[in-house]
Amino acid sequence: MSEWIENAKQAAAAARDYCGTVRLRVLERVAPAGTVDAALVTREQHAVHGFAWIAATLAALEATADWAGRARANGDFGAAEELTLRIGFGEYLAQLVSGVPMSAGEIVRPVSLGTVREAAALAEDPAVRRFLEHGNTPETRAVLAALLADGARPDERLGDETLDLVRAQFRAFTADRITPHAHRWHLADALIPAEVIAEMAELGVFGVCIAEEHGGLGLGKLAMSVVSEELSRGWICAGSLGTRSEIAGELIGENGTGEQKARWLPRIADGSVLPTAVFTEPDTGSDLASVRTRARRQADGSWRVDGAKTWITHAGRADLMTLIARTDPDAPGYRGLSMFLAAKTRGSEAEPFPDPGIDGSEIEVLGYRGMKEYALGFDGFEIAADGLLGNAEGQGFKQLMRTFEGARIQTAARAVGVAWNAFDLALDYAMGRRQFGEPLTAFPRVADKLALMAAETVMARELTYFAARAKDRGARCDIEAGMAKLLAARTAWSAADNAVQVHGGNGYALEYPVSRVLCDARILNIFEGAAEIQAQVIARGLLAAQAAPRETGKMRESA
């Protein structure tokens, strides 16, 4: 068994060399004079984004090889782990050699990158060839699917007793308080009940990463990933309840004044204050430099806000808005933006926005329904004089950028949870449904789906954990976080789509929970940075490091 781990390390090294070649080919197109040209990056988006996807695939391979090594060291590398490694490596190496899917209809192939010969050489590397021929095969998929049907699961222990206990606690809570009710809440388009939120607060969901001195658990991003994954395994909305607290907690913890920290962090941690993030505007999307909402300082020191925001999650129920607005209309782009901590009155179903100067209209959505989305209008809404984050005007964009690593890691963890939810539903249905006298798991095309769903979800999970560990070490991990979000979102959508297919016609029926999972999974490629934006950010970061190329994705202790 162990020889497959050594093969994985060798194959990952060969893939890393290939990724380096792809980077050079892309640089030839977008930096002919030695400096990356933004116009050429736009013109060459297919190749540029393809490079990002290839780098993310490499990162997943290395994270999975590291997982296998840890499992072996702990005596947990058994048949399920070996098959997961073989199938996952076999599939992703085959994608590198022949074409990596960026979406259902967009595949980046070696011919479009000018690396046909290099891809062929990668395929002939002995370690890679072994995975291509004996990794992801009908036989390995059938054996793994049978093990999964018998209750086996690839190793998920983290080598930390506290984190393993956290997983067990939240898995039990989700099974008892979320999973049995999620589909009914979804169909009713209902908010998650307040009593469930209170129970989550008691478990520490909203203060996982808030320092103990401010009433939080102080456990870090890896713990946050585990909590988000387990809650999302029941319903993405349960996993997402902590997202806004995560963003607000990091914004205030990293940038707030002493008074702001003392006022807000303990109340966010204990769930008595529910925050919402108010960043996106109509027609701007990810282009924060174009934010037009204005905040003007008044004679008494307070701020008056006028403008429009959209896609604001859980806004009616929120007590605090982290709101970005333009305070200096003469400063171009990002420089005129400031971040505010804007207190608001928690609304009700009948009156979601009771405060003067703010109004909202609900945006009806396919899925992700448990908190509701709103378009907000501000017309003279007042923010107290002490509401400017850190009492620092013009720093809003910089303050916000620092939170994106954590937010994208958390989103990747939610995607992993959704993928597991899809897998759980597909396996349960396939085991209980019989066709032609056999359970669905006996049919190879169904077994294929289940095996690959499990393998890909493990790979996305391990890449997410790798990014979280880097963040917990204090390392810059914007690229790793982006890769985790990019890959995990694709994995969740693929798993949900395949789970519906396993259900057949019943998968299209609203009464079956898998229909909800499909709708929920679709949003993951869009929020917290659409896949295209994510690929752009990853590629620009990797391509810009020309003097000292950054080995992003390589499992390195110095990260």
Side-chain angles (χ1 to χ4, degrees):
M1 286 185 179
S2 295
E3 65 186 32
W4 283 106
I5 299 176
E6 300 310 316
N7 272 152
K9 293 177 181 178
Q10 294 161 7
R16 188 184 313 127
D17 290 341
Y18 175 70
C19 186
T21 300
V22 172
R23 178 178 178 274
L24 292 176
R25 293 289 187 274
V26 174
L27 276 173
E28 290 170 1
R29 300 186 188 189
V30 303
T35 302
V36 174
D37 185 315
L40 292 177
V41 168
T42 299
R43 191 186 75 182
E44 297 288 346
Q45 261 193 2
H46 181 83
V48 170
H49 290 193
F51 167 54
W53 275 102
I54 287 168
T57 302
L58 167 64
L61 289 169
E62 294 190 316
T64 305
D66 186 69
W67 161 77
R70 290 196 309 273
R72 178 178 60 182
N74 295 330
D76 296 322
F77 191 75
E81 289 72 30
E82 179 196 318
L83 289 164
T84 298
L85 179 71
R86 288 171 62 180
I87 292 168
F89 259 69
E91 174 60 26
Y92 280 17
L93 288 168
Q95 290 181 10
L96 290 178
V97 167
S98 60
V100 176
M102 298 190 289
S103 72
E106 297 172 289
I107 299 176
V108 60
R109 303 187 190 280
V111 68
S112 65
L113 298 167
T115 58
V116 172
R117 283 183 295 180
E118 289 81 2
L122 175 64
E124 292 305 317
D125 177 270
V128 173
R129 173 56 56 189
R130 189 169 187 230
F131 277 109
L132 293 178
E133 293 179 352
H134 305 290
N136 184 23
T137 67
E139 293 76 19
T140 55
R141 293 193 297 270
V143 175
L144 179 57
L147 289 173
L148 295 169
D150 285 341
R153 295 293 181 272
D155 182 46
E156 62 185 11
R157 279 176 281 192
L158 288 157
D160 182 303
E161 185 177 355
T162 297
L163 292 177
D164 289 337
L165 286 173
V166 166
R167 185 190 297 283
Q169 180 183 35
F170 279 94
R171 182 167 295 176
F173 172 80
T174 300
D176 180 48
R177 300 295 290 129
I178 304 297
T179 303
H181 313 291
H183 201 55
R184 173 168 51 83
W185 295 335
H186 164 81
L187 291 177
D189 195 11
L191 292 166
I192 295 178
E195 59 268 25
V196 175
I197 295 178
E199 292 172 26
M200 292 171 65
E202 289 181 9
L203 290 173
V205 170
F206 306 115
V208 172
C209 295
I210 292 176
E212 291 183 88
E213 65 186 280
H214 295 301
L217 300 179
L219 289 178
K221 304 302 181 184
L222 184 55
M224 176 266 292
S225 296
V226 172
V227 170
S228 300
E229 176 187 338
E230 291 301 329
L231 290 171
S232 298
R233 194 166 185 164
W235 191 20
I236 189 176
C237 295
S240 296
L241 270 171
T243 308
R244 274 133 293 282
S245 296
E246 169 72 18
I247 292 170
E250 189 161 355
L251 276 170
I252 298 168
E254 294 291 330
N255 305 285
T257 65
E259 292 79 7
Q260 288 169 339
K261 293 177 184 179
R263 178 184 181 188
W264 293 114
L265 291 179
R267 297 165 68 195
I268 292 172
D270 68 17
S272 58
V273 162
L274 297 177
T276 188
V278 185
F279 307 144
T280 305
E281 296 191 359
D283 302 321
T284 63
S286 299
D287 183 12
L288 287 175
S290 298
V291 162
R292 293 191 295 271
T293 295
R294 285 280 283 114
R296 298 174 176 84
R297 194 187 293 272
Q298 306 300 293
D300 63 357
S302 66
W303 296 85
R304 173 194 169 103
V305 179
D306 298 280
K309 298 286 185 177
T310 192
W311 293 109
I312 311 305
T313 306
H314 215 202
R317 239 187 196 167
D319 310 286
L320 172 68
M321 297 181 289
T322 51
L323 184 150
I324 196 164
R326 190 166 297 283
T327 51
D328 184 354
D330 297 323
Y334 305 121
R335 287 188 292 167
L337 300 177
S338 299
M339 184 67 69
F340 291 91
L341 305 175
K344 65 176 285 292
T345 302
R346 184 179 297 195
S348 64
E349 291 271 9
E351 190 178 12
F353 301 101
D355 294 315
I358 180 175
D359 197 9
S361 57
E362 184 181 348
I363 303 170
E364 295 185 354
V365 290
L366 289 170
Y368 195 55
R369 292 178 169 182
M371 295 175 288
K372 297 187 181 292
E373 303 292 327
Y374 288 93
L376 300 183
F378 296 94
D379 185 9
F381 179 78
E382 184 175 307
I383 300 177
D386 62 358
L388 181 63
L389 180 61
N391 198 29
E393 192 171 341
Q395 298 300 304
F397 181 75
K398 292 181 180 179
Q399 293 166 339
L400 181 58
M401 288 301 103
R402 299 188 192 110
T403 72
F404 278 1
E405 292 179 349
R408 285 169 179 166
I409 292 169
Q410 203 259 6
T411 301
R414 285 184 282 170
V416 171
V418 171
W420 281 129
N421 194 357
F423 169 80
D424 293 338
L425 291 169
L427 179 61
D428 183 67
Y429 187 86
M431 291 176 64
R433 179 79 169 182
R434 300 183 73 85
Q435 290 284 290
F436 308 106
E438 298 282 351
L440 291 184
T441 50
F443 293 93
R445 287 292 304 281
V446 173
D448 285 350
K449 291 177 175 62
L450 293 170
L452 198 55
M453 286 164 67
E456 282 205 277
T457 303
V458 168
M459 298 181 84
R461 182 190 71 194
E462 293 308 315
L463 180 54
T464 300
Y465 290 175
F466 172 55
R469 290 186 180 100
K471 183 71 173 175
D472 283 340
R473 290 197 301 269
R476 179 181 175 182
C477 62
D478 53 332
I479 292 176
E480 290 86 345
M483 289 176 170
K485 195 267 183 187
L486 189 71
L487 195 78
R490 187 188 70 183
T491 299
W493 174 247
S494 175
D497 186 43
N498 279 312
V500 168
Q501 193 70 21
V502 169
H503 281 69
N506 287 334
Y508 206 63
L510 287 177
E511 67 179 283
Y512 282 82
V514 74
S515 66
R516 178 194 79 243
V517 176
L518 184 75
C519 293
D520 289 344
R522 190 61 189 87
I523 191 60
L524 288 159
N525 261 319
I526 298 173
F527 65 13
E528 295 297 341
E532 293 78 10
I533 295 295
Q534 211 74 121
Q536 185 91 346
V537 170
I538 293 166
R540 286 295 297 265
L542 293 175
L543 293 172
Q546 293 178 67
R550 178 181 181 182
E551 294 179 350
T552 299
K554 182 180 178 182
M555 308 304 295
R556 58 196 189 285
E557 290 302 320
S558 60

PDB file of all heavy atoms in Angstrom, residues 309 312 315-316 344 350-355 357-363 373-378:
ATOM      1  N   LYS A 309     -27.062  48.872  -2.276  1.00  0.00           N
ATOM      2  CA  LYS A 309     -26.285  47.642  -2.176  1.00  0.00           C
ATOM      3  C   LYS A 309     -27.176  46.476  -2.588  1.00  0.00           C
ATOM      4  O   LYS A 309     -28.404  46.576  -2.539  1.00  0.00           O
ATOM      5  CB  LYS A 309     -25.782  47.429  -0.743  1.00  0.00           C
ATOM      6  CG  LYS A 309     -24.841  48.509  -0.225  1.00  0.00           C
ATOM      7  CD  LYS A 309     -23.463  48.407  -0.841  1.00  0.00           C
ATOM      8  CE  LYS A 309     -22.503  49.411  -0.212  1.00  0.00           C
ATOM      9  NZ  LYS A 309     -21.124  49.283  -0.761  1.00  0.00           N
ATOM     10  N   ILE A 312     -27.275  41.155  -0.267  1.00  0.00           N
ATOM     11  CA  ILE A 312     -26.888  41.252   1.134  1.00  0.00           C
ATOM     12  C   ILE A 312     -27.614  40.142   1.903  1.00  0.00           C
ATOM     13  O   ILE A 312     -28.834  40.141   2.017  1.00  0.00           O
ATOM     14  CB  ILE A 312     -27.221  42.635   1.715  1.00  0.00           C
ATOM     15  CG1 ILE A 312     -26.689  43.738   0.781  1.00  0.00           C
ATOM     16  CG2 ILE A 312     -26.671  42.762   3.114  1.00  0.00           C
ATOM     17  CD1 ILE A 312     -25.204  43.642   0.462  1.00  0.00           C
ATOM     18  N   ALA A 315     -29.792  40.142   5.911  1.00  0.00           N
ATOM     19  CA  ALA A 315     -29.772  41.565   6.252  1.00  0.00           C
ATOM     20  C   ALA A 315     -30.886  41.958   7.211  1.00  0.00           C
ATOM     21  O   ALA A 315     -30.679  42.789   8.112  1.00  0.00           O
ATOM     22  CB  ALA A 315     -29.869  42.399   4.976  1.00  0.00           C
ATOM     23  N   GLY A 316     -32.082  41.394   7.024  1.00  0.00           N
ATOM     24  CA  GLY A 316     -33.185  41.788   7.877  1.00  0.00           C
ATOM     25  C   GLY A 316     -32.947  41.436   9.329  1.00  0.00           C
ATOM     26  O   GLY A 316     -33.281  42.204  10.237  1.00  0.00           O
ATOM     27  N   LYS A 344     -27.709  48.483  13.414  1.00  0.00           N
ATOM     28  CA  LYS A 344     -29.074  48.568  12.931  1.00  0.00           C
ATOM     29  C   LYS A 344     -29.991  47.770  13.857  1.00  0.00           C
ATOM     30  O   LYS A 344     -29.529  46.931  14.636  1.00  0.00           O
ATOM     31  CB  LYS A 344     -29.215  48.062  11.492  1.00  0.00           C
ATOM     32  CG  LYS A 344     -28.932  46.590  11.309  1.00  0.00           C
ATOM     33  CD  LYS A 344     -29.177  46.119   9.868  1.00  0.00           C
ATOM     34  CE  LYS A 344     -30.642  45.983   9.517  1.00  0.00           C
ATOM     35  NZ  LYS A 344     -31.304  44.878  10.259  1.00  0.00           N
ATOM     36  N   ALA A 350     -42.399  40.798   9.388  1.00  0.00           N
ATOM     37  CA  ALA A 350     -43.336  41.823   8.927  1.00  0.00           C
ATOM     38  C   ALA A 350     -42.631  43.118   8.577  1.00  0.00           C
ATOM     39  O   ALA A 350     -43.027  43.830   7.649  1.00  0.00           O
ATOM     40  CB  ALA A 350     -44.394  42.082   9.999  1.00  0.00           C
ATOM     41  N   GLU A 351     -41.573  43.449   9.316  1.00  0.00           N
ATOM     42  CA  GLU A 351     -40.860  44.710   9.095  1.00  0.00           C
ATOM     43  C   GLU A 351     -39.361  44.447   9.209  1.00  0.00           C
ATOM     44  O   GLU A 351     -38.758  44.631  10.253  1.00  0.00           O
ATOM     45  CB  GLU A 351     -41.298  45.763  10.115  1.00  0.00           C
ATOM     46  CG  GLU A 351     -40.788  47.155   9.790  1.00  0.00           C
ATOM     47  CD  GLU A 351     -41.271  48.203  10.786  1.00  0.00           C
ATOM     48  OE1 GLU A 351     -41.799  47.823  11.847  1.00  0.00           O
ATOM     49  OE2 GLU A 351     -41.106  49.407  10.495  1.00  0.00           O
ATOM     50  N   PRO A 352     -38.738  44.003   8.105  1.00  0.00           N
ATOM     51  CA  PRO A 352     -37.325  43.616   8.181  1.00  0.00           C
ATOM     52  C   PRO A 352     -36.370  44.784   8.392  1.00  0.00           C
ATOM     53  O   PRO A 352     -35.270  44.574   8.903  1.00  0.00           O
ATOM     54  CB  PRO A 352     -37.073  42.930   6.838  1.00  0.00           C
ATOM     55  CG  PRO A 352     -38.150  43.417   5.934  1.00  0.00           C
ATOM     56  CD  PRO A 352     -39.326  43.702   6.789  1.00  0.00           C
ATOM     57  N   PHE A 353     -36.781  46.004   8.015  1.00  0.00           N
ATOM     58  CA  PHE A 353     -35.873  47.151   8.128  1.00  0.00           C
ATOM     59  C   PHE A 353     -36.600  48.323   8.786  1.00  0.00           C
ATOM     60  O   PHE A 353     -37.070  49.246   8.111  1.00  0.00           O
ATOM     61  CB  PHE A 353     -35.340  47.536   6.745  1.00  0.00           C
ATOM     62  CG  PHE A 353     -34.595  46.416   6.074  1.00  0.00           C
ATOM     63  CD1 PHE A 353     -35.212  45.648   5.090  1.00  0.00           C
ATOM     64  CD2 PHE A 353     -33.309  46.087   6.454  1.00  0.00           C
ATOM     65  CE1 PHE A 353     -34.555  44.586   4.490  1.00  0.00           C
ATOM     66  CE2 PHE A 353     -32.636  45.028   5.863  1.00  0.00           C
ATOM     67  CZ  PHE A 353     -33.259  44.273   4.878  1.00  0.00           C
ATOM     68  N   PRO A 354     -36.691  48.305  10.106  1.00  0.00           N
ATOM     69  CA  PRO A 354     -37.465  49.336  10.802  1.00  0.00           C
ATOM     70  C   PRO A 354     -36.750  50.676  10.964  1.00  0.00           C
ATOM     71  O   PRO A 354     -37.398  51.675  11.278  1.00  0.00           O
ATOM     72  CB  PRO A 354     -37.728  48.699  12.172  1.00  0.00           C
ATOM     73  CG  PRO A 354     -36.581  47.755  12.373  1.00  0.00           C
ATOM     74  CD  PRO A 354     -36.239  47.238  11.011  1.00  0.00           C
ATOM     75  N   ASP A 355     -35.445  50.737  10.766  1.00  0.00           N
ATOM     76  CA  ASP A 355     -34.702  51.977  10.977  1.00  0.00           C
ATOM     77  C   ASP A 355     -34.974  52.994   9.881  1.00  0.00           C
ATOM     78  O   ASP A 355     -35.163  52.617   8.708  1.00  0.00           O
ATOM     79  CB  ASP A 355     -33.193  51.708  11.026  1.00  0.00           C
ATOM     80  CG  ASP A 355     -32.781  50.875  12.217  1.00  0.00           C
ATOM     81  OD1 ASP A 355     -33.266  51.160  13.325  1.00  0.00           O
ATOM     82  OD2 ASP A 355     -31.983  49.932  12.036  1.00  0.00           O
ATOM     83  N   GLY A 357     -34.050  55.601   7.007  1.00  0.00           N
ATOM     84  CA  GLY A 357     -32.927  55.754   6.088  1.00  0.00           C
ATOM     85  C   GLY A 357     -32.461  54.478   5.430  1.00  0.00           C
ATOM     86  O   GLY A 357     -31.494  54.497   4.655  1.00  0.00           O
ATOM     87  N   ILE A 358     -33.119  53.337   5.716  1.00  0.00           N
ATOM     88  CA  ILE A 358     -32.740  52.087   5.077  1.00  0.00           C
ATOM     89  C   ILE A 358     -34.000  51.313   4.716  1.00  0.00           C
ATOM     90  O   ILE A 358     -34.965  51.258   5.476  1.00  0.00           O
ATOM     91  CB  ILE A 358     -31.832  51.225   5.995  1.00  0.00           C
ATOM     92  CG1 ILE A 358     -31.443  49.910   5.298  1.00  0.00           C
ATOM     93  CG2 ILE A 358     -32.500  50.951   7.335  1.00  0.00           C
ATOM     94  CD1 ILE A 358     -30.458  49.070   6.092  1.00  0.00           C
ATOM     95  N   ASP A 359     -33.993  50.741   3.538  1.00  0.00           N
ATOM     96  CA  ASP A 359     -35.107  49.914   3.094  1.00  0.00           C
ATOM     97  C   ASP A 359     -34.534  48.763   2.287  1.00  0.00           C
ATOM     98  O   ASP A 359     -33.398  48.844   1.786  1.00  0.00           O
ATOM     99  CB  ASP A 359     -36.085  50.729   2.249  1.00  0.00           C
ATOM    100  CG  ASP A 359     -37.436  50.041   2.108  1.00  0.00           C
ATOM    101  OD1 ASP A 359     -37.641  49.025   2.808  1.00  0.00           O
ATOM    102  OD2 ASP A 359     -38.262  50.501   1.305  1.00  0.00           O
ATOM    103  N   GLY A 360     -35.301  47.693   2.176  1.00  0.00           N
ATOM    104  CA  GLY A 360     -34.799  46.539   1.446  1.00  0.00           C
ATOM    105  C   GLY A 360     -35.901  45.764   0.775  1.00  0.00           C
ATOM    106  O   GLY A 360     -37.044  45.742   1.239  1.00  0.00           O
ATOM    107  N   SER A 361     -35.556  45.128  -0.338  1.00  0.00           N
ATOM    108  CA  SER A 361     -36.488  44.248  -1.037  1.00  0.00           C
ATOM    109  C   SER A 361     -35.825  42.892  -1.189  1.00  0.00           C
ATOM    110  O   SER A 361     -34.647  42.793  -1.536  1.00  0.00           O
ATOM    111  CB  SER A 361     -36.853  44.822  -2.410  1.00  0.00           C
ATOM    112  OG  SER A 361     -35.684  45.026  -3.196  1.00  0.00           O
ATOM    113  N   GLU A 362     -36.583  41.836  -0.908  1.00  0.00           N
ATOM    114  CA  GLU A 362     -36.025  40.496  -0.959  1.00  0.00           C
ATOM    115  C   GLU A 362     -35.778  40.064  -2.401  1.00  0.00           C
ATOM    116  O   GLU A 362     -36.580  40.330  -3.296  1.00  0.00           O
ATOM    117  CB  GLU A 362     -36.969  39.502  -0.280  1.00  0.00           C
ATOM    118  CG  GLU A 362     -36.398  38.102  -0.205  1.00  0.00           C
ATOM    119  CD  GLU A 362     -37.340  37.104   0.436  1.00  0.00           C
ATOM    120  OE1 GLU A 362     -38.354  37.531   1.029  1.00  0.00           O
ATOM    121  OE2 GLU A 362     -37.068  35.878   0.316  1.00  0.00           O
ATOM    122  N   ILE A 363     -34.652  39.397  -2.614  1.00  0.00           N
ATOM    123  CA  ILE A 363     -34.317  38.801  -3.897  1.00  0.00           C
ATOM    124  C   ILE A 363     -34.662  37.320  -3.822  1.00  0.00           C
ATOM    125  O   ILE A 363     -34.070  36.578  -3.032  1.00  0.00           O
ATOM    126  CB  ILE A 363     -32.819  38.979  -4.222  1.00  0.00           C
ATOM    127  CG1 ILE A 363     -32.432  40.459  -4.218  1.00  0.00           C
ATOM    128  CG2 ILE A 363     -32.485  38.346  -5.569  1.00  0.00           C
ATOM    129  CD1 ILE A 363     -30.929  40.703  -4.294  1.00  0.00           C
ATOM    130  N   GLU A 373     -31.838  36.892   0.820  1.00  0.00           N
ATOM    131  CA  GLU A 373     -30.996  37.890   0.160  1.00  0.00           C
ATOM    132  C   GLU A 373     -31.810  39.164  -0.063  1.00  0.00           C
ATOM    133  O   GLU A 373     -33.006  39.099  -0.354  1.00  0.00           O
ATOM    134  CB  GLU A 373     -30.514  37.362  -1.194  1.00  0.00           C
ATOM    135  CG  GLU A 373     -29.751  36.052  -1.136  1.00  0.00           C
ATOM    136  CD  GLU A 373     -28.413  36.185  -0.451  1.00  0.00           C
ATOM    137  OE1 GLU A 373     -27.786  37.271  -0.583  1.00  0.00           O
ATOM    138  OE2 GLU A 373     -27.996  35.233   0.218  1.00  0.00           O
ATOM    139  N   TYR A 374     -31.135  40.297   0.041  1.00  0.00           N
ATOM    140  CA  TYR A 374     -31.833  41.577  -0.102  1.00  0.00           C
ATOM    141  C   TYR A 374     -31.051  42.550  -0.988  1.00  0.00           C
ATOM    142  O   TYR A 374     -29.820  42.533  -1.028  1.00  0.00           O
ATOM    143  CB  TYR A 374     -32.025  42.247   1.264  1.00  0.00           C
ATOM    144  CG  TYR A 374     -33.046  41.571   2.142  1.00  0.00           C
ATOM    145  CD1 TYR A 374     -32.657  40.591   3.056  1.00  0.00           C
ATOM    146  CD2 TYR A 374     -34.399  41.898   2.052  1.00  0.00           C
ATOM    147  CE1 TYR A 374     -33.583  39.965   3.873  1.00  0.00           C
ATOM    148  CE2 TYR A 374     -35.332  41.278   2.870  1.00  0.00           C
ATOM    149  CZ  TYR A 374     -34.921  40.315   3.769  1.00  0.00           C
ATOM    150  OH  TYR A 374     -35.851  39.696   4.573  1.00  0.00           O
ATOM    151  N   ALA A 375     -31.815  43.405  -1.655  1.00  0.00           N
ATOM    152  CA  ALA A 375     -31.270  44.622  -2.244  1.00  0.00           C
ATOM    153  C   ALA A 375     -31.611  45.748  -1.265  1.00  0.00           C
ATOM    154  O   ALA A 375     -32.761  45.883  -0.842  1.00  0.00           O
ATOM    155  CB  ALA A 375     -31.900  44.894  -3.603  1.00  0.00           C
ATOM    156  N   LEU A 376     -30.614  46.522  -0.883  1.00  0.00           N
ATOM    157  CA  LEU A 376     -30.805  47.566   0.123  1.00  0.00           C
ATOM    158  C   LEU A 376     -30.670  48.946  -0.498  1.00  0.00           C
ATOM    159  O   LEU A 376     -29.820  49.176  -1.367  1.00  0.00           O
ATOM    160  CB  LEU A 376     -29.777  47.430   1.250  1.00  0.00           C
ATOM    161  CG  LEU A 376     -29.766  46.125   2.053  1.00  0.00           C
ATOM    162  CD1 LEU A 376     -28.731  46.202   3.167  1.00  0.00           C
ATOM    163  CD2 LEU A 376     -31.144  45.813   2.623  1.00  0.00           C
ATOM    164  N   GLY A 377     -31.489  49.859  -0.027  1.00  0.00           N
ATOM    165  CA  GLY A 377     -31.386  51.258  -0.412  1.00  0.00           C
ATOM    166  C   GLY A 377     -31.137  52.105   0.816  1.00  0.00           C
ATOM    167  O   GLY A 377     -31.821  51.959   1.841  1.00  0.00           O
ATOM    168  N   PHE A 378     -30.152  52.978   0.750  1.00  0.00           N
ATOM    169  CA  PHE A 378     -29.823  53.886   1.856  1.00  0.00           C
ATOM    170  C   PHE A 378     -30.149  55.314   1.437  1.00  0.00           C
ATOM    171  O   PHE A 378     -29.702  55.775   0.373  1.00  0.00           O
ATOM    172  CB  PHE A 378     -28.338  53.783   2.227  1.00  0.00           C
ATOM    173  CG  PHE A 378     -27.933  52.436   2.762  1.00  0.00           C
ATOM    174  CD1 PHE A 378     -27.417  51.460   1.922  1.00  0.00           C
ATOM    175  CD2 PHE A 378     -28.072  52.147   4.103  1.00  0.00           C
ATOM    176  CE1 PHE A 378     -27.043  50.219   2.403  1.00  0.00           C
ATOM    177  CE2 PHE A 378     -27.701  50.905   4.610  1.00  0.00           C
ATOM    178  CZ  PHE A 378     -27.184  49.933   3.753  1.00  0.00           C
TER     179      PHE A 378
END
